[in-house]
Amino acid sequence: MRIRDGNGGDVPAVLGMFDGAVAWLTARGRTGQWGSRPFSADPARVERVTSWAASGGMRIAEIDGEPTGCAVLGSPMDYVAPAPEPELYVQALVIDQRFRGHGVGSELLARARSEAAERGVSLLRVDCYAGDDGRLVAYYESQGFTRTESLTVGEWPGQLLELRLPDPAGRV
């Protein structure tokens, strides 16, 4: 698996990943996370993915040259208060459902940890959908994140999580 910086040419593939994830969730009756409408059919979501591609924070995982997942790294989402210390925030994480179970998400999160360390940042945060059976929160916990606070965006129940990295300055 290779992880590279994303760009505008990746927008169709990333929209396809989101569309596949929405279809997968919808087939399981789990529409609370992203609804049931494909991202590619929603102009606001197309614009969001396009802006992520232009932000410099999009990372694309590839297997044999084929895009298999995407993470977007940057500042906290507008609905999350910035941390009182430097941080790196996982704004989005999605995988191509054909590669489910291949460790794509884990590799993208490992890349986020590495980038945080390279930047001298000891806090990595993410928020995720906290509804239904809580499997997404459990996934992030399995990746080393710890719950910090619950949040609600409109009707969407979310969970903010953090991962503490070793302090680059050696402070305790």
Side-chain angles (χ1 to χ4, degrees), residues 58-107:
M58 181 181 275
R59 304 295 176 260
I60 302 293
E62 295 180 330
I63 295 177
D64 296 328
E66 184 173 358
T68 59
C70 173
V72 181
L73 310 176
S75 301
M77 303 304 283
D78 292 341
Y79 52 83
V80 174
E85 65 187 274
E87 70 177 307
L88 185 60
Y89 201 91
V90 180
Q91 297 174 345
L93 179 67
V94 65
I95 65 164
D96 183 320
Q97 293 303 298
R98 296 174 300 153
F99 294 90
R100 188 173 177 75
H102 286 80
V104 176
S106 295
E107 288 297 319

Side-chain angles (χ1 to χ4, degrees), residues 85-165:
E85 65 187 274
E87 70 177 307
L88 185 60
Y89 201 91
V90 180
Q91 297 174 345
L93 179 67
V94 65
I95 65 164
D96 183 320
Q97 293 303 298
R98 296 174 300 153
F99 294 90
R100 188 173 177 75
H102 286 80
V104 176
S106 295
E107 288 297 319
L108 286 163
L109 290 172
R111 172 68 175 262
R113 286 191 295 277
S114 294
E115 287 195 34
E118 289 167 11
R119 296 177 189 193
V121 172
S122 60
L123 178 62
L124 182 63
R125 293 197 305 166
V126 65
D127 70 82
C128 69
Y129 178 65
D132 296 322
D133 57 9
R135 285 176 54 188
L136 191 52
V137 174
Y139 170 76
Y140 283 108
E141 289 175 325
S142 78
Q143 297 298 310
F145 286 83
T146 303
R147 297 175 198 216
T148 58
E149 63 184 82
S150 297
L151 52 100
T152 304
V153 181
E155 300 287 320
W156 187 83
Q159 178 66 53
L160 186 61
L161 301 102
E162 70 178 22
L163 189 146
R164 289 274 170 195
L165 302 168

Side-chain angles (χ1 to χ4, degrees), residues 32-58:
Q33 182 173 343
W34 287 326
S36 60
R37 184 175 179 210
F39 269 50
S40 60
D42 182 335
R45 285 180 162 170
V46 171
E47 176 55 35
R48 182 178 308 142
V49 172
T50 301
S51 70
W52 284 336
S55 74
M58 181 181 275

